[in-house]
Amino acid sequence: MARPQVENEIELSGCFSARFIALDIETSGLSPEGGGEIIEIAAVELLEPRKFGKLLHSRIRSKTAMSKAAEDVVGFTNCDLDGAPAFAELAEDLVEFLSDATIVGIGTEFDRAFLNAELAEAGYGVMAPANFLDVSPFIPEEIQRSGMQAINDWAGCAGGGALATEVVAGAFWRIRKETGV
């Protein structure tokens, strides 16, 4: 199947849409420029508090081996990526899934940098910053400084998973309730 070639940015919605998707990725490094790659991705539609729609989740085969430090952070090993698809194999489905949504996350600049690097390598355009809603600025600084468990508690989530989509969703709904965003 031919992939669409996009020159500049993928215009997903132009402004915040009524459809929101919580996104989280795990990577093999700290930056795509430093050789890091997406090794796991989860995206879930946020329908209403504690109600989710479609889910896209996959581990992703890396072109290079993860370091032991990266394995410790993500909680799985290079062997766990055996048989996983390459990012390029998922790119079309991912772009379609995200196509009319506002992407919600914690630290979305990090996620967007990795997504754009992987999408560009797979022959797609990049995602515009306007299509992302970073909930980090809405989380009180003292909560953020206290770590992920404090964010889990603040967002009303059990947490404990490698991917933070539940935490993103909980934070999003709490912020939406408090601010009307």
Side-chain angles (χ1 to χ4, degrees):
M1 179 177 287
R3 285 183 234 125
Q5 297 297 311
V6 180
E7 291 285 321
N8 296 312
E9 294 183 339
I10 298 170
E11 283 298 329
L12 297 180
S13 65
C15 62
F16 291 145
S17 72
R19 183 169 173 255
F20 294 92
I21 293 180
L23 174 79
D24 189 41
I25 63 171
E26 296 296 332
T27 66
S28 64
L30 298 177
S31 74
E33 299 81 14
E37 301 171 81
I38 296 175
I39 54 175
E40 187 171 27
I41 190 164
V44 62
E45 282 183 302
L46 305 176
L47 301 178
E48 58 187 65
R50 307 291 179 239
K51 185 173 180 189
F52 303 101
K54 295 176 189 171
L55 168 71
L56 185 147
H57 174 252
S58 182
R59 292 218 170 130
I60 298 170
R61 184 177 64 245
S62 180
K63 292 181 273 321
T64 58
M66 277 190 289
S67 68
K68 176 70 171 115
E71 289 180 345
D72 291 343
V73 170
V74 299
F76 54 88
T77 68
N78 287 296
C79 294
D80 295 318
L81 300 177
D82 289 347
F87 185 89
E89 296 172 59
L90 302 171
E92 184 174 357
D93 290 338
L94 178 63
V95 169
E96 184 178 316
F97 186 62
L98 300 176
S99 68
D100 63 347
T102 297
I103 302 160
V104 181
I106 296 173
T108 57
E109 275 302 308
F110 178 86
D111 293 350
R112 194 172 72 80
F114 275 93
L115 281 171
N116 284 341
E118 297 276 7
L119 287 169
E121 188 174 315
Y124 290 85
V126 298
M127 296 177 142
N131 296 109
F132 288 79
L133 174 61
D134 189 342
V135 298
S136 302
F138 298 95
I139 300 171
E141 285 184 37
E142 64 274 9
I143 301 292
Q144 291 186 47
R145 281 194 302 272
S146 297
M148 202 61 188
Q149 187 56 54
I151 295 172
N152 291 345
D153 295 343
W154 178 85
C157 300
L163 292 163
T165 51
E166 179 189 3
V167 176
V168 170
F172 172 73
W173 290 115
R174 178 175 177 157
I175 292 160
R176 208 153 179 212
K177 180 180 176 184
E178 291 177 359
T179 65
V181 171

